[in-house]
Amino acid sequence: LSINWCPSLIQAALLSPVMAQMTASSLTTNTPPDMSDFKIWSNRVDSHGSVSLLVPGAQAKKDRIVALQQQSSSPSAMVVYVGDSSTDLTALIQADVGIFIGDPQSSALSMAQQWGISVQPLSSRWSSEGNSGASEKRRDKDDENQKILWQTTSWLEIGRLLQELNGSTMTQPTQQ
């Protein structure tokens, strides 16, 4: 879900590395990865450079998250939203799992904290778990009493989380 990023950029930055890891894992299980679990909703740029505004602003982002949550037929399904600016805040907060990618000193994160949102480093999900991927209290969906906004600068961490939520396992992400 993006205003500024086109689908091919989102796939290159996020989905392609995740799918490559899942494909490597599926080679041992003979089960192909299911790309249909990953939906991209963004503005489009055609071959002439014209932009189709499918995501006109912050309210449209939040409304889309609400619609996706209402469309879900499975109680275990969740909407994960990755954003990088203050126009993403309402969607990040609405999503079952909100991830802010960018500077931990961002004014968007300060604004979230002023709204009473707990901002935690995404790496803290795994800091006390070792490599097991299971914590004493799973935080797939945020606690009903406290919204958590995860913060990271690493696409690898986001990839690890997506794989974890999708039921796959991945070793600790490394920076390259």
Side-chain angles (χ1 to χ4, degrees):
L1 181 63
S2 178
I3 289 178
N4 299 317
W5 292 30
C6 65
S8 57
L9 180 59
I10 294 169
Q11 284 184 318
L14 180 60
L15 297 183
S16 293
V18 170
M19 294 308 296
Q21 178 67 31
M22 290 174 70
T23 301
S25 298
S26 70
L27 292 176
T28 59
T29 63
N30 294 325
T31 306
D34 183 5
M35 187 64 177
S36 67
D37 287 345
F38 299 100
K39 306 285 187 225
I40 297 173
W41 186 59
S42 67
N43 291 330
R44 305 264 191 248
V45 180
D46 69 19
S47 61
H48 302 291
S50 296
V51 177
S52 299
L53 292 177
L54 303 174
V55 187
Q59 187 62 45
K61 292 178 182 185
K62 180 183 178 192
D63 292 347
R64 181 66 175 164
I65 296 298
V66 170
L68 289 169
Q69 290 168 325
Q70 292 171 346
Q71 291 171 5
S72 174
S73 58
S74 169
S76 64
M78 67 184 73
V79 176
V80 177
Y81 185 91
V82 179
D84 64 355
S85 72
S86 58
T87 63
D88 293 307
L89 275 180
T90 56
L92 286 163
I93 293 166
Q94 179 64 46
D96 297 312
V97 177
I99 305 167
F100 182 88
I101 185 161
D103 184 356
Q105 302 302 315
S106 166
S107 61
L109 294 180
S110 296
M111 189 181 312
Q113 290 171 326
Q114 289 174 2
W115 291 349
I117 306 300
S118 174
V119 176
Q120 301 293 322
L122 183 55
S123 61
S124 70
R125 285 181 58 93
W126 304 289
S127 62
S128 63
E129 298 176 16
N131 290 326
S132 70
S135 63
E136 55 195 59
K137 179 182 177 192
R138 286 297 304 257
R139 294 179 285 181
D140 292 345
K141 290 190 177 184
D142 295 322
D143 184 331
E144 295 290 326
N145 300 320
Q146 175 63 52
K147 176 66 185 177
I148 298 171
L149 178 57
W150 302 101
Q151 185 279 326
T152 187
T153 57
S154 169
W155 287 108
L156 291 171
E157 284 183 356
I158 295 170
R160 179 181 181 197
L161 175 65
L162 290 176
Q163 286 188 311
E164 180 183 296
L165 297 177
N166 198 39
S168 303
T169 57
M170 182 175 168
T171 57
Q172 179 68 25
T174 56
Q175 299 293 336
Q176 295 182 359

